[in-house]
Amino acid sequence: MTYIVNGMRFGEEPDPGQCLRTFLRSLGHHGVKKGCDAGDCGACTVWLDGDPVHSCITPAFRAEGREVTTIEGIGSPGNLHPMQRRFRDAPGFQCGFCTAGMIMTSATFTEAQKSDLPRALKGNLCRCTGYRGIEDAVNGVAGVETATPGKAVGTSVGAPAANDVVTGRAEFTMDTEMEGMLHLKVLHSPHAHARIVSIDKTAALAVPGVHRVYTWEDVPRKRYTTAIHTDHLVDPDDTFMLDDTVRFAGQRVVAVLADTVGAAEEGCRKVDIEYEVLPAVFDPEEAMADGAPQLHGTSDPFVRDPVHNTLFEIHTHIGDVDAGFAAADVIHEGTYVSPRVQHAHLETHGSIAWMENGRLNVRTSSQSPSIAKVKLAYLFALRPDQLRVFCKRVGGGFGGKQEVISEDLVALATLDTGRPVCWEYTREEEFTTASPRHPMALTVRLGAKADGTLTAFQVRNVSNTGAYGNHGGETLFAGGAAVMIYRCPNKKYDAYSVYTNTVPSGALRGYGMTQPAFAVESAMDELARALHMDPLALRRRNIVRPGEPLVAMDDGPDDVMFSEDGLGKCIDLVDDAMARTADEPGPGPEWLVGSGVASSLHETAPPTEHISEAWVTLGDDLMYELAVGTVEFGEGTSTAHVQIAANQLGTTPSRIRLVQSDTDRTGFDTGAFASAGLFVSGNAVLRAANAVRDRILEFAAAHTGVHLVMCSMDDEGVVCGDQRVSLAELVALARARGIRFTAARKAHGSPRSVTSNAQGFRIAVHQVTGEIRILRSVQATDAAEVINPAQVRGQVEGGVAQGIGFALTEHFQVDAEGVMVNPNLRNYRIPTYADVPRTDVLLVHSSDSFGPLRAKGMAECCINPVAPALANALQDATGVRYRSLPLTPERIYSRLPESQAVRPG
């Protein structure tokens, strides 16, 4: 059999039943990605005789004697295919994991297909971009700009890895081969709650190629939390690497190590386990009731009330809410329900471990290699110098990789066997075992005077943390910040993080704020209707203003400050933009048309301590090396860091060589989450670059005998009075004296400011099917000083798209036994190109940020107002208030007869 790949002939034959994707990757073509292995996402798209196919569902034998072309075969970094160039220049990517497949599909489009992208791109998914950048790329619309020396900030420069991303050469976690590598697979619990009576490994160990079968008796018996924070004490140590009690369907029970993935999977099937099934509870209100099954004992002092399955509670108030309600002319109360939502980053979790010179190396898909290292060192009693953890490019995260959930077992197996070990999650494992957004039920009670002035603001939040408490307390605390957006003398917040026999919840974009934002902003709209007020007028009357305290759960001092009315400006921009299209007709007589707006505030860094260290060095080759621990997974921090450094050093981004996310080569970094990759790490980069610049200037001043204030630096050297000294000369002089132009600086996540957002939608609702069509989408955001305009727009567009999925399409369905029944992208339904409108992104420029050069991170906050704005538009269109997400057509249609005021468009 002969296979021709990118013009080269191969004599290798695929294994029986092997798909084309895995065969191509075995030949070294790592641009062919795995996002689903079910033909749903398109990340594996290649050409077969010039036609795009999903290689994950194409049997490899069908390629015999045919021309196979992968992303590596259509162009190289120095000789790009026209479509690769378009995706680079748009830019048409963020994390870049879907990009190869997108390019391979798009490069075959006819003009007719380009005019119908909703149909043409239906087989390719992107979780990052919101698809506008991809549309621009397909249509040849360029957005990338070239920066002049010292003027990088404020320019839409391209990503440092752009050429490698669009040619498939950018390395992601699993894009490597190691001699002698073993494969690990995990057997998951079929029960929501059970005690393991016995495990028989005999048949599994007899499977050819199986080396080890690990159970709870074979791993360190240490409690820990999988959540990643600088201070691990904010999360409960309620987890074991493998346990003799399982608390959710999908919990890992046994790990099998084998020569191949197939052998490891067969070994999992052969393990014989006897379970004692225990009573389970899935609803948090039921879990808190007397007599409910208990998930955890009393051994963890962090757990507030193990008898009632309560991990953490918050009870706080300001003023007197009872008096506030007594003084109100109108009172509104409603309960708003937000479901589980999966991150659905196209690169699944995965890690590779190996030993090198007596040290454990772990290459992983993580948002924080520094803290992953700390946890692994604890679990396996390793000194810091015995362990290296690092990341290549990470294929999306959104908070899902703010956990240590794949690194521990590969580390265990490598330490045991001395062999390289890899474990790559399947898409089903992502859905059934990785940590989704916390389901929350929030009861909001608001009191107001007839003129709209709030007199009382009360919220009860019940959060389902699932079987384990990773992020359970921190998201509950973050949710309390949802009440800080409005001024009110009487506030009360009661909140409960509750254990249930469901998949553990975790961190997801918006981090504890997205669900309360849906509740509070929906309730404010309902209150406005009860007051017969315009919803925006009610918001303008009550939003917090500069100089006023951001009172959320107490009136004590904090480190959050703001001095400009960014929120008011955002509301005004959205109001004006929506008014311009308010009279445009809807799709037709069967459609109801309505508009809705929502707003939000988000702190620019997490309340727990966030730390980052950056190193900048001018090398002998006159390139500046920037080393920073922050991971790049599509949020654009790499580009921003390079721009900041180039700006301060008077040079261009092309002169900055970036080293990142490697505990051997970079300083400590808490992690890329909560927009801290820009706000905190960006400040560390700024300070390190300034320190190197100052050191060069001081050396040049001493060398020339010119006063320091007369010296200035540019791309090529230093001008001191009427003398110019080149960088090459300065480096040589310094080297001769044993001096290096290098500096390290740290930054911390305090003090903080706030980011404001307002979102507007105009929608049409079909009276027969309940389908929603988004006619207009606009978001205004207080971006402060913008580092990279194209990246800011892209982050907002991506956040809006993810928020649309949260609100309309994504449905995490669980049966009566606690088992997820739709663990795949096709049935879970993240938004496709056809589902996402073009969002107008309006920027408010302020200067009240403590971020680098007064910038604010945009990746986190933009999702928060999306769902409530859609729910508010839906009520405006139908006259019916929907308080539970997602707003699926069947849910909408079932209640349309309640409408008292249908208004055809």
Side-chain angles (χ1 to χ4, degrees), residues 99-345:
T99 305
M102 285 284 183
I103 291 172
M104 296 304 288
T105 299
S106 303
T108 66
F109 285 168
T110 63
E111 290 304 315
Q113 287 174 305
K114 289 181 183 179
S115 66
D116 189 9
L117 289 181
R119 178 179 295 276
L121 283 174
K122 65 181 181 180
N124 290 79
L125 297 176
C126 176
R127 191 56 154 169
C128 296
T129 64
Y131 296 100
R132 176 174 175 174
I134 291 168
E135 177 186 321
D136 286 348
V138 172
N139 291 323
V141 178
V144 168
E145 301 170 329
T146 301
T148 56
K151 303 292 184 182
V153 167
T155 305
S156 295
V157 303
N163 279 345
D164 287 336
V165 168
V166 300
T167 57
R169 288 162 173 79
E171 276 194 49
F172 291 81
T173 308
M174 293 297 164
D175 294 343
T176 187
E177 302 290 336
M178 301 188 73
E179 186 177 351
M181 184 151 65
L182 301 176
H183 297 267
L184 187 142
K185 296 300 291 185
V186 166
L187 176 65
H188 303 279
S189 169
H191 305 292
H193 199 191
R195 184 175 295 109
I196 296 173
V197 177
S198 65
I199 301 177
D200 188 346
K201 309 177 183 179
T202 307
L205 288 168
V207 173
V210 169
H211 291 260
R212 298 283 195 278
V213 177
Y214 299 107
T215 74
W216 68 274
E217 295 177 302
D218 304 307
V219 302
R221 195 67 176 168
K222 291 184 178 181
R223 290 184 178 271
Y224 70 109
T225 174
T226 62
I228 282 177
H229 290 109
T230 303
D231 181 1
H232 73 94
L233 297 176
V234 302
D235 305 299
D237 290 332
D238 59 3
T239 303
F240 288 110
M241 200 180 305
L242 295 171
D243 204 350
D244 60 345
T245 299
V246 294
R247 296 176 177 88
F248 70 97
Q251 181 168 331
R252 59 193 197 185
V253 178
V254 171
V256 176
L257 190 65
D259 290 329
T260 65
V261 171
E265 290 176 337
E266 179 63 13
C268 288
R269 287 188 286 269
K270 294 294 186 181
V271 176
D272 185 14
I273 303 178
E274 180 184 352
Y275 294 96
E276 176 192 352
V277 178
L278 302 173
V281 59
F282 307 114
D283 179 84
E285 294 283 4
E286 295 176 6
M288 288 191 290
D290 291 339
Q294 294 181 25
L295 273 72
H296 294 272
T298 58
S299 56
D300 183 2
F302 192 100
V303 178
R304 173 69 174 268
D305 183 358
V307 174
H308 296 98
N309 295 304
T310 305
L311 164 66
F312 190 65
E313 295 180 24
I314 298 172
H315 301 284
T316 185
H317 71 277
I318 299 158
D320 185 339
V321 291
D322 292 334
F325 284 119
D329 295 316
V330 173
I331 295 174
H332 165 74
E333 183 172 343
T335 298
Y336 305 85
V337 179
S338 299
R340 287 180 185 83
V341 180
Q342 234 287 332
H343 309 79
H345 34 71

Side-chain angles (χ1 to χ4, degrees), residues 752-818:
R752 300 175 291 153
S753 49
V754 295
T755 299
S756 310
N757 301 78
Q759 172 72 42
F761 284 109
R762 187 166 182 265
I763 68 170
V765 185
H766 199 278
Q767 297 184 72
V768 176
T769 65
E771 175 193 352
I772 289 179
R773 286 188 188 174
I774 299 175
L775 307 178
R776 181 79 193 277
S777 172
V778 57
Q779 183 167 130
T781 183
D782 175 12
E785 297 299 322
V786 176
I787 302 292
N788 188 305
Q791 284 196 168
V792 168
R793 188 197 73 181
Q795 289 299 318
V796 174
E797 290 165 347
V800 172
Q802 204 165 17
I804 289 170
F806 170 52
L808 301 184
T809 66
E810 299 179 39
H811 200 177
F812 197 110
Q813 300 180 58
V814 178
D815 67 16
E817 302 301 318

Side-chain angles (χ1 to χ4, degrees), residues 570-791:
C570 288
I571 291 173
D572 290 343
L573 283 176
V574 169
D575 192 14
D576 291 344
M578 296 294 292
R580 287 195 290 272
T581 57
D583 296 329
E584 291 182 0
E590 293 183 334
W591 296 82
L592 310 173
V593 177
S595 297
V597 176
S599 52
S600 69
L601 281 181
H602 199 104
E603 295 162 347
T604 52
T608 49
E609 181 70 325
H610 207 103
I611 305 167
S612 182
E613 183 174 10
W615 307 336
V616 173
T617 302
L618 176 58
D620 291 344
D621 60 357
L622 304 186
M623 291 284 288
Y624 293 96
E625 182 171 279
L626 167 61
V628 61
T630 304
V631 178
E632 176 60 65
F633 57 94
E635 77 284 26
T637 53
S638 294
T639 314
H641 290 165
V642 167
Q643 287 181 260
I644 291 167
N647 200 77
Q648 301 310 106
L649 293 164
T651 188
T652 60
S654 62
R655 290 273 303 280
I656 308 295
R657 182 170 51 239
L658 183 63
V659 176
Q660 61 188 144
S661 55
D662 186 332
T663 60
D664 267 13
R665 301 182 64 193
T666 60
F668 183 89
D669 190 281
T670 296
F673 51 86
S675 290
L678 177 72
F679 191 83
V680 183
S681 302
N683 266 330
V685 170
L686 177 75
R687 294 169 186 173
N690 285 345
V692 168
R693 179 200 61 201
D694 293 347
R695 188 164 295 182
I696 293 171
L697 289 172
E698 289 166 1
F699 185 89
H703 171 67
T704 60
V706 177
H707 197 282
L708 180 61
V709 298
M710 300 295 293
C711 298
S712 62
M713 186 172 166
D714 59 27
D715 194 29
E716 300 298 332
V718 178
V719 176
C720 295
D722 57 1
Q723 302 179 58
R724 166 176 280 280
V725 187
S726 71
L727 285 180
E729 183 180 352
L730 288 171
V731 168
L733 289 168
R735 181 68 68 187
R737 294 172 55 185
I739 296 172
R740 296 177 66 216
F741 296 129
T742 186
R745 293 293 184 271
K746 293 180 180 179
H748 301 256
S750 181
R752 300 175 291 153
S753 49
V754 295
T755 299
S756 310
N757 301 78
Q759 172 72 42
F761 284 109
R762 187 166 182 265
I763 68 170
V765 185
H766 199 278
Q767 297 184 72
V768 176
T769 65
E771 175 193 352
I772 289 179
R773 286 188 188 174
I774 299 175
L775 307 178
R776 181 79 193 277
S777 172
V778 57
Q779 183 167 130
T781 183
D782 175 12
E785 297 299 322
V786 176
I787 302 292
N788 188 305
Q791 284 196 168

